[in-house]
């Protein structure tokens, strides 16, 4: 591991100042991703700025009825918080499906959004990788790409974003609150992560020195039901092959409101707008769900080892929506 | 002999040390002035090194040396591990990395960077650049692509690569009911929780001490003595506690010799702890396999033809053909057999033993095929197996020393509730979950190796056992203390076992589930020798109550020798020793006693058996598989300690489930890279994926082995993957013949 200096920031402006001073510095939250990457020599900061003392750990109700999740609140605390469990089951389920209890006890909410891809080649500094080293090529596109993306890929990168939490946040239309040298700004979840395009080295639209202070969740209609389904190769401590975050509200048998986001399929949490549009106002039937899923995955592209994800994504969408619909029709 | 300690579920004697962090593993031995080594891996699978860029590394603060083949001291070639040698070397290969410019696999260590601290060594290693001349011929990385070059190796372990009896293909063609399929298993890698670590230092030019995480101390010693042209007794190898081995630590991988070499160059102790990624590249794993099993039966289900042939891979620098076909040589009766193993050579790290080598993958093919045949016959799969019970070993044509497979199935079926099962596939569901049940035979040989044990009895009533065997978490120290306690009539707290050091009496490697019988046999013999010596001392004295005793009249009990027919008549060891003015008495014995062993070995077929039962839930839409129940019944002789044996069974079933559902090493066929070389992406079993595992052992002693015991370390891996695949078929109607059973295969 490259030698680095350790700076402890006591408030946001000190942290921002330190980051502005040193373009090679990195913030550290729980460190469960950053330290891993430093050990593998993928990230090589010469300074880490510890932001754990910053006052961003609260979980509280917002005036508009939404809920604010502090950037530094731990994943386990967030997932188990009554406000989250009761109002946003999809988020609690997504977060509890991730990693392991030990990791969740350390991992912060902001760190979770900013965790980097698990693409094998990104993690191996001896392999070409445009995300790690722009211009070096993509080892995955003709390599072992079982865990890679099927939607929104580019010639430069076919990696997925690994976070479960972010998929739920996409379905919930969360807003990321950010503080930078020039003040604060809000980034809608859908704008926060990027597709790879020609710049796979950029995972998000966050500025290099910007700090995430919180993640705000808008209120959900009280009649909406939500859930998170994660299909993985091992029942815990494994990333999603495909996951679905779904929010559904029915009026009789008609779909009044639906939100769908997919994980494990793209460089960002994939908001399934096409499927949502296809479903609005339609009866909640298995055929309609399947048709919407087909429509959403129309543009999917398979690589050598991940073609199964296309069918798997469709089936998981249908299963998630059917489960929610059955629950509401039974209620 | 009365059994007192043997069989008791005694807590591990080292349990407290382990859970309080006081047990010292290789990497933890405090050595003054230790320097750290880090290895740089090759990034091509085949070719030659053209040049090294080591300047930046050499100039990194704290760096003591950067070794390449250009400046590394020459070492001597070592013999590859050969199971037919009496005392094989632990070398996995004949290649001496860093003494050649040739690259033989992706990940081969090419450079050693030695620095004051680990971080400095890692940083410097990341700055090394290597240029290669790729080989003219493309690297060979795919076993299936190399099929045309497959050959029949001279030997498979110590046995013939082929067994033919009658004419199996003809009998198969003529059989009224038959199945004929190909089964494949992927490469697997070792992931014991303790990575491979080595710490070495020299005293003078010819005294080498090595702390090493090994399950074969004397094999490491032999390899190092060959490599550095030292007398064997000038090499000391210490391996106090081993944090799991499972076969990986039966070989001394290249870092072991490199650590000793580095220590010589820098003139101080050097430690190399392999990072997890290097574990995938520098420690061999399990070969992939492709196996054909064809079974032909008459209408009653009696096997008429058994064909088990196939292919495994070894590297270009080793010769180990994993013995997948051994199980078929002993499990079922048939007049006609065709068994054959072929091998291809790939540009990969030398492959090696992995828990239940051979039988682990062989039972997947054979026991899946038996299930397929049972369906073809419309017969209960247990009934099919019972109808094919052989009277004698079907290919060795000698009796089994002990065989109780039927009893395993009977008990297992009862515990599991097998006979309530509706054999129809897709017969049970709960919502989207399809539920199925499967069974399979377990099979593993009951081998022995050699060991010497010294026992020293002291006047204070304590006994010290010494043998350079290994404690890998299996419970050896505990069960052998129990064994000696019974042999000597002491309570187990009075027995201490010293192991893990080549200064102690010689023992063979602890693999192949052989340690319990082997060391147990030596303990028994050493204790007998000791008791005979004690009796000889007593007999000399007319005043002794033992003056007229014969050895066979006596038993060891209550810290002494007493008449069997008169429990109060006898003498304690303290009395016998005090009369002679002795503080203690020693005896040493080797197992096996050579001649007797050879005769028994030829007269019987020594095998362990078992029956595996499981229930799975398969998500009809997503293909996820959960194992929801497990019952295993094993026939491996006397159980020395219920607790440690149970742990072995639980661990084995767990590894079997991992092999069936999760584990798989991916190879990038372009350059031999292992993309999932991490614990995050190579999926070892996790607790959340395991059901309640019920295990039973029959506990029927084998009349022809020491203590009536067999090893218990590997049997419960075997058959596990087949039981799961069979249950998946029962649940879904889909037969998966290609491990692991991942969701995509069931979509
Ligand atoms: C073996 C393993 C399995 C896992 N499995 C899963 C899984 O199944 N699903 C899943 O979703 N996740 C999984 N994870 C990932 C885990 O969720 C992340 O590692 C964790 O959420 C990261 O949070 P952290 O606080 O530790 O981040 P850190 O490692 O501290 O930081 C990550 C990044 O975020 C930046 N950062 C942190 N806080 C801020 C802030 N406030 N403002 C700006 N930048 C910031 C850091 O500079 C760094 O670049 C797994 C991790 C491991 C190691
Ligand atoms: S997919 Fe992206 S992250 Fe993976 S190797 Fe290609 S460029 Fe790198």
């Amino acid at each position: 591991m490259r030698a680095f200096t350790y700076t402890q920031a006591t408030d946001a402006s000190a942290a921002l100042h330190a980051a502005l001073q040193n373009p090679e510095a990195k913030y550290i939250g729980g460190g469960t991703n950053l330290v891993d990457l430093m050990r593998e020599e993928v990230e090589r900061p010469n300074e880490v700025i510890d932001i754990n003392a910053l006052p961003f750990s609260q979980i509280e109700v917002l005036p508009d009825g939404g809920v604010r999740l502090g950037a530094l609140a731990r994943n386990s605390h967030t997932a188990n918080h009554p406000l989250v469990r009761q109002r946003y089951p999809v988020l609690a389920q997504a977060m509890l499906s991730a990693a392991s209890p030990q990791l969740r006890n350390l991992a912060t909410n902001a760190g979770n959004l900013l965790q980097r891809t698990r693409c094998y080649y990104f993690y191996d500094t001896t392999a070409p990788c445009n995300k790690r080293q722009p211009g070096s090529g993509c080892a995955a596109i003709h390599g072992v790409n079982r865990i890679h993306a099927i939607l929104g890929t580019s010639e430069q990168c076919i990696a997925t974003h690994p976070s479960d939490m972010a998929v739920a946040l996409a379905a919930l239309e969360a807003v990321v609150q950010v503080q930078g040298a020039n003040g604060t700004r809000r980034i809608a979840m859908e704008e926060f992560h990027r597709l790879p395009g020609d710049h796979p080295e950029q995972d998000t639209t966050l500025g290099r020195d910007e700090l995430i202070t919180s993640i705000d969740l808008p209120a959900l209609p009280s009649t909406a039901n939500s859930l998170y389904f994660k299909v993985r190769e091992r029942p815990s401590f494994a990333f999603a092959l495909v996951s679905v975050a779904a929010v559904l509200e029915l009026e009789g048998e008609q779909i009044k409101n639906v939100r769908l986001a997919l994980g494990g399929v793209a460089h960002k949490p994939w908001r399934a707008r096409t499927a949502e549009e296809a479903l609005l106002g339609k009866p909640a039937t298995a055929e309609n769900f399947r048709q919407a899923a087909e429509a959403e995955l129309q543009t999917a592209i398979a690589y050598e080892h991940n073609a199964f994800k296309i069918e798997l994504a469709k089936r998981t969408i249908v299963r998630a929506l059917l489960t929610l619909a059955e629950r509401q029709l039974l209620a | 002999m009365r059994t007192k300690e043997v069989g008791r579920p005694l807590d591990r004697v080292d349990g407290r040390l382990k859970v309080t962090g006081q047990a010292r593993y290789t990497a933890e031995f405090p050595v003054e002035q230790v320097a750290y080594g880090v290895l740089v891996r090759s990034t091509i699978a085949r070719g030659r090194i053209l040049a090294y860029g080591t300047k930046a590394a050499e100039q990194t603060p704290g760096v003591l040396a950067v070794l390449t083949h250009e400046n590394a001291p020459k070492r001597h070639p070592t013999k590859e591990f050969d199971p037919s040698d009496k005392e094989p070397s632990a070398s996995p290969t004949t290649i001496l990395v860093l003494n050649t410019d040739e690259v033989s696999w992706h990940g081969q260590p090419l450079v050693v960077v030695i620095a004051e601290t680990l971080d400095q060594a890692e940083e410097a290693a990341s700055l090394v650049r290597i240029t290669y001349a790729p080989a003219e011929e493309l690297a060979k990385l795919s076993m299936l692509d190399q099929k045309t070059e497959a050959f029949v190796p001279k030997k498979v372990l110590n046995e013939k690569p082929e067994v033919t009896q009658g004419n199996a293909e003809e009998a198969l063609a003529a059989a009224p009911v038959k199945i004929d399929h190909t089964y494949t298993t992927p490469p697997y890698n070792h992931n014991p929780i303790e990575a491979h670590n080595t710490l070495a230092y020299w005293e003078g030019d010819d005294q080498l001490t090595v702390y090493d995480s090994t399950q074969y101390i004397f094999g490491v010693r032999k390899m190092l003595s060959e490599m550095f042209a030292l007398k064997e007794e000038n090499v000391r190898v210490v391996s106090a506690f081993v944090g799991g081995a499972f076969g990986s630590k039966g070989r001394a991988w290249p870092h072991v010799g490199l650590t000793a070499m580095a220590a010589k160059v820098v003139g101080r102790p050097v430690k190399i702890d392999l990072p997890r990624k290097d574990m995938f590249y520098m420690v061999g794993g399990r070969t992939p396999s492709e196996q054909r099993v064809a079974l032909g039966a008459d209408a009653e289900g009696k096997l008429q033809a058994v064909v088990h042939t196939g292919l495994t891979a070894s590297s270009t620098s080793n010769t180990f053909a994993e013995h997948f076909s051994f199980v078929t040589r002993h499990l079922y009766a048939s007049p006609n057999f065709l068994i054959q193993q072929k091998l291809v050579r790939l540009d990969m790290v030398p492959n090696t033993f992995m828990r239940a080598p051979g039988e682990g993958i062989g039972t997947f093919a054979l026991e899946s095929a038996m299930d397929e045949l049972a369906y073809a016959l419309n017969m209960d799969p247990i009934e099919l197996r019972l109808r094919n019970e052989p009277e004698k070993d079907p290919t060795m044509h000698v009796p089994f020393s002990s065989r109780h497979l039927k009893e395993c199935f009977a008990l297992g079926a009862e515990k599991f509730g097998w006979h309530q099962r509706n054999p129809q596939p897709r017969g049970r569901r709960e919502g989207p979950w399809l539920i199925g049940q499967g069974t399979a035979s377990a099979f593993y040989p009951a081998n022995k190796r050699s060991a010497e044990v010294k026992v020293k009895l002291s006047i204070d009533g304590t006994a010290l056992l010494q043998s350079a065997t290994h404690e890998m978490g299996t419970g050896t120290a505990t069960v052998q203390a129990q064994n000696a306690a019974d042999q000597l009539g002491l309570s187990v707290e009075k027995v201490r076992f010293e192991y893990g050091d080549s200064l102690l009496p010689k023992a063979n490697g602890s693999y192949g589930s052989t340690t319990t019988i082997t060391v147990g046999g030596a303990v028994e013999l050493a204790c007998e020798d000791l008791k005979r010596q004690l009796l000889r001392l007593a007999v000399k004295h007319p005043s002794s109550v033992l003056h007229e005793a014969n050895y066979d009249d006596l038993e060891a009990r209550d810290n002494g020798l007493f008449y069997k027919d008169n429990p109060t008549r006898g003498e304690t060891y303290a009395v016998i020793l005090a009369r002679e003015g002795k503080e203690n008495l020693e005896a040493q014995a080797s197992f096996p006693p050579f001649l007797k062993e050879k005769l028994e070995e030829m007269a019987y077929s020594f095998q362990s058996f078992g029956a595996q039962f499981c229930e799975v839930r398969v998500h009809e839409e997503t293909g996820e598989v959960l194992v929801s129940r497990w019952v295993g019944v094993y026939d491996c002789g006397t159980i020395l300690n219920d607790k440690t044996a149970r742990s072995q069974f639980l661990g084995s079933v767990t590894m079997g489930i991992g092999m069936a559902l999760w584990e798989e090493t991916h190879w990038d066929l372009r350059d031999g890279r292992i993309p999932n070389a991490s614990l995050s992406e190579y999926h070892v079993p996790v607790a959340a994926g395991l059901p309640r595992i019920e295990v039973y052992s029959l506990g029927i002693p084998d009349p022809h082995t020491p203590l009536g015991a067999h090893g218990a370390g590997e049997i419960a891996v075997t058959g596990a993957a087949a039981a799961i695949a069979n249950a998946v078929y029962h649940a879904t109607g889909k037969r998966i013949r290609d491990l692991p059973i991942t969701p995509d295969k069931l979509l």
Side-chain angles (χ1 to χ4, degrees), chain B residues 440-565:
Chain B
S441 298
F443 171 89
Y444 198 76
N447 289 332
K448 313 172 189 71
R449 270 183 250 285
S450 60
E452 290 170 21
V453 167
K454 187 188 226 174
V455 54
K456 179 166 156 186
L457 182 73
S458 295
I459 195 159
D460 64 3
T462 60
L464 175 66
L465 293 177
Q466 293 181 315
S467 177
T469 186
H470 317 79
E471 178 53 90
M472 314 173 292
T474 50
T476 302
T478 307
V479 302
Q480 297 305 344
Q482 288 175 277
N483 181 11
D486 280 355
Q487 304 289 342
L488 295 175
L490 304 176
S491 67
V492 71
E493 307 79 64
K494 299 287 182 195
V495 184
R496 200 157 60 83
F497 190 3
E498 281 181 4
Y499 51 86
D501 190 331
S502 62
L503 296 179
L504 300 171
K506 221 175 236 190
N508 212 316
S510 291
Y511 41 77
S513 301
T514 54
T515 306
T516 300
I517 320 188
T518 303
V519 177
V523 166
E524 203 176 8
L525 293 171
C527 290
E528 179 177 338
D529 184 340
L530 189 76
K531 287 182 285 187
R532 287 186 187 275
Q533 286 188 46
L534 285 157
L535 178 61
R536 282 199 295 276
L537 294 178
V539 163
K540 289 193 304 192
H541 295 277
S543 62
S544 167
V545 293
L546 301 177
H547 179 54
E548 311 230 294
N550 287 317
Y551 183 77
D552 292 337
D553 302 337
L554 302 176
E555 65 180 359
R557 171 160 61 73
D558 300 332
N559 309 313
L561 295 174
F562 290 84
Y563 284 93
K564 286 179 187 160
D565 59 4

Side-chain angles (χ1 to χ4, degrees), chain B residues 5-12 478-479 482 637-650 695-699:
Chain B
E5 295 295 348
V6 164
R8 257 182 67 197
L10 189 73
D11 286 348
R12 283 156 196 277
T478 307
V479 302
Q482 288 175 277
T638 310
I639 295 299
L640 269 54
N641 177 326
D642 261 344
K643 201 174 219 169
T644 55
R646 195 179 120 80
S647 296
Q648 288 294 308
F649 297 143
L650 296 181
V695 293
Y696 304 89
S697 49
L698 297 179

Side-chain angles (χ1 to χ4, degrees), chain A residues 36-97:
Chain A
D36 226 16
L37 291 165
M38 286 166 69
R39 290 201 163 281
E40 299 287 348
E41 311 270 353
V42 176
E43 301 267 20
R44 293 173 49 85
N46 62 4
E47 177 182 2
V48 299
I49 305 166
D50 185 346
I51 55 171
N52 283 285
L54 271 48
F56 302 143
S57 298
Q58 76 290 9
I59 291 178
E60 61 199 9
V61 179
L62 291 169
D64 66 0
V67 171
R68 168 162 291 174
L69 309 176
L72 289 168
R74 305 290 151 174
N75 284 180
S76 49
H77 177 64
T78 308
N80 290 314
H81 198 282
L83 284 172
V84 174
R85 291 181 80 115
Q86 283 153 24
R87 301 191 188 182
Y88 307 101
V90 59
L91 180 60
Q93 289 163 17
M95 295 184 81
L96 292 175
S97 76

Side-chain angles (χ1 to χ4, degrees), chain A residues 158-218:
Chain A
I158 61 169
T160 61
H161 194 266
S163 166
D164 291 297
M165 179 188 190
V167 180
L169 294 178
L172 292 171
E173 298 187 341
V175 174
V176 183
Q177 300 281 0
V178 168
Q179 190 172 339
N182 307 320
T184 60
R185 64 184 183 115
R186 299 156 49 88
I187 310 174
M189 200 49 207
E190 220 171 336
E191 311 295 317
F192 186 79
H193 293 97
R194 297 179 65 257
L195 287 179
D198 289 337
H199 287 285
E201 73 283 4
Q202 293 169 21
D203 294 350
T204 68
T205 54
L206 192 70
R208 196 204 63 82
D209 49 281
E210 281 181 314
L211 265 178
I212 299 178
T213 56
S214 72
I215 299 159
D216 293 354
L217 305 173

Side-chain angles (χ1 to χ4, degrees), chain B residues 154 355 361 465 477 697:
Chain B
K154 277 206 206 81
R355 203 167 192 182
I361 52 177
L465 293 177
S697 49

Side-chain angles (χ1 to χ4, degrees), chain B residues 25 65 71 140 224 226 229 249 317 400 423 445 483 641-642 662 677:
Chain B
Y25 292 82
N71 63 356
K140 294 178 180 170
L224 289 172
E226 285 175 6
K249 291 168 182 166
S317 61
F400 289 98
N483 181 11
N641 177 326
D642 261 344
W662 303 311

Side-chain angles (χ1 to χ4, degrees), chain A residues 119 121-122 129-131 138-140 148 156-159:
Chain A
C119 169
Y121 303 95
F122 174 72
C129 167
N130 288 326
K131 185 181 279 298
C138 171
H148 287 76
Q156 273 66 46
C157 178
I158 61 169

